Amino acid sequence: QVQLVESGGGLVQAGDSLRLSCTASGRTLGSYYMGWFRQAPGKERVFVARIKWSGGSTVYADSMKGRFTISRDNAKSTVYLEMNSLKPEDTAVYYCAARPLQSPTYPYWGQGTQVTVSS
């Protein structure tokens, strides 16, 4: 089992930056991908970015490239999502998730953190 706790959400204005954190516990993460997803009101949850814990390779949704950066801190077992030039359409609940490298799905999810961007 992997437990995930997100933090860092809040209310910001358009153009601001925000950094989300996700701290993991319960397992060593060397053989995991860590991902960020978001779900806007009335919409499906969508992929934002992921990072391979070992090695740090990253993948982003096309619409997030350039403004969002995913990173990790091994010592803190924490994954970050740095979000810049935020837009009102970035308003969503942001979720952290973890999956073993060999798994096609993410079995472990955090509770989510709300990000609201005002215009």
Side-chain angles (χ1 to χ4, degrees):
Q1 290 283 346
V2 177
Q3 292 80 42
L4 303 170
V5 179
E6 301 103 330
S7 61
L11 173 63
V12 297
Q13 293 186 333
D16 285 352
S17 297
L18 201 61
R19 189 178 77 163
L20 305 181
S21 301
C22 171
T23 300
S25 62
R27 289 275 180 91
T28 56
L29 300 173
S31 59
Y32 280 76
Y33 289 109
M34 301 294 295
W36 284 99
F37 294 75
R38 71 183 187 184
Q39 186 168 18
K43 296 186 178 181
E44 293 186 352
R45 187 162 55 191
V46 297
F47 170 78
V48 174
R50 69 159 168 84
I51 187 167
K52 188 177 181 183
W53 195 267
S54 177
S57 60
T58 58
V59 174
Y60 294 89
D62 286 344
S63 60
M64 315 297 174
K65 290 180 181 177
R67 293 194 301 124
F68 290 10
T69 303
I70 188 171
S71 62
R72 86 245 189 268
D73 184 325
N74 288 336
K76 296 181 179 180
S77 296
T78 299
V79 176
Y80 302 100
L81 185 67
E82 183 78 32
M83 304 182 293
N84 298 313
S85 302
L86 283 164
K87 306 173 183 179
E89 50 265 42
D90 293 318
T91 294
V93 178
Y94 284 72
Y95 295 92
C96 175
R99 69 172 174 93
L101 298 181
Q102 70 275 18
S103 173
T105 61
Y106 287 82
Y108 306 110
W109 292 84
Q111 81 287 354
T113 185
Q114 176 71 48
V115 173
T116 303
V117 184
S118 63
S119 57

